[in-house]
Amino acid sequence: MVRNTAREIAIHLSYELSFTDKTVDELLDDRLTAERFADLVDEDTIYETAPDAKQADYIRRLVRGVNEHAYELDSYISKYAKGWSFARIPLVASAIMRVAMYEILYMPDIPNGVAINEAVEIAKKYETPETVKFINGILGSFVRQEITE
């Protein structure tokens, strides 16, 4: 499994956190198993291979971080979503932006451009072209205004 697949799985799990009653650790423990991946492979090929320990740690770090910093990340999304109420933003798009913003803010080993590019590429799989542009615009504005390198 490559990192962009692990990132996409983290987005799936961050999305699921939006409507589950499980804690973040319960969700991660339930979903990051070979058995669960085998159950999901027919739905999406990203589940063909269960993550190894390093990949599982990366996914856990992202999902826990997004959960822990959800209010902060959502505040940034709201700030840069000019003319959109947060409630109008699709949940998948929110999950994609949360993961990218978390990487930008808290994972300095991941270049900002990589976090944005990966978010846009993943968004192309799940969202309309207009929503992909929206995500790219929000993430670009966020980096230009909030991140000093």
Side-chain angles (χ1 to χ4, degrees):
M1 173 184 301
V2 293
R3 184 170 266 194
N4 62 343
T5 302
R7 182 181 284 111
E8 189 172 347
I9 290 166
I11 289 169
H12 283 203
L13 296 172
S14 295
Y15 166 77
E16 192 171 345
L17 276 175
S18 299
F19 54 84
T20 185
D21 59 354
K22 292 182 179 187
T23 68
V24 67
D25 287 321
E26 289 171 341
L27 180 69
L28 289 166
D29 291 344
D30 179 58
R31 299 295 189 263
L32 293 180
T33 66
E35 296 79 22
R36 187 59 136 148
F37 271 61
D39 291 343
L40 295 172
V41 72
D42 290 338
E43 290 180 31
D44 197 320
T45 58
I46 66 169
Y47 295 103
E48 285 178 334
T49 306
D52 63 24
K54 183 178 177 183
Q55 295 154 345
D57 286 345
Y58 172 73
I59 293 167
R60 286 177 182 279
R61 182 175 174 201
L62 276 177
V63 176
R64 283 182 182 132
V66 165
N67 183 63
E68 182 180 326
H69 295 275
Y71 179 80
E72 173 192 17
L73 300 172
D74 290 352
S75 294
Y76 283 125
I77 293 169
S78 293
K79 179 177 179 179
Y80 294 104
K82 306 279 189 230
W84 283 62
S85 70
F86 190 83
R88 244 183 95 204
I89 299 171
L91 289 177
V92 172
S94 297
I96 291 168
M97 289 186 285
R98 287 175 183 143
V99 167
M101 287 178 172
Y102 180 80
E103 286 181 319
I104 290 165
L105 289 168
Y106 298 103
M107 299 178 86
D109 56 312
I110 299 173
N112 297 342
V114 170
I116 293 172
N117 185 59
E118 290 292 326
V120 168
E121 290 305 310
I122 291 168
K124 287 177 183 177
K125 184 174 173 180
Y126 299 100
E127 294 293 348
T128 65
E130 294 78 22
T131 304
V132 172
K133 289 179 191 173
F134 175 75
I135 290 168
N136 190 43
I138 287 178
L139 294 175
S141 295
F142 166 72
V143 168
R144 282 190 299 278
Q145 299 296 317
E146 304 293 337
I147 307 301
T148 55
E149 296 189 59

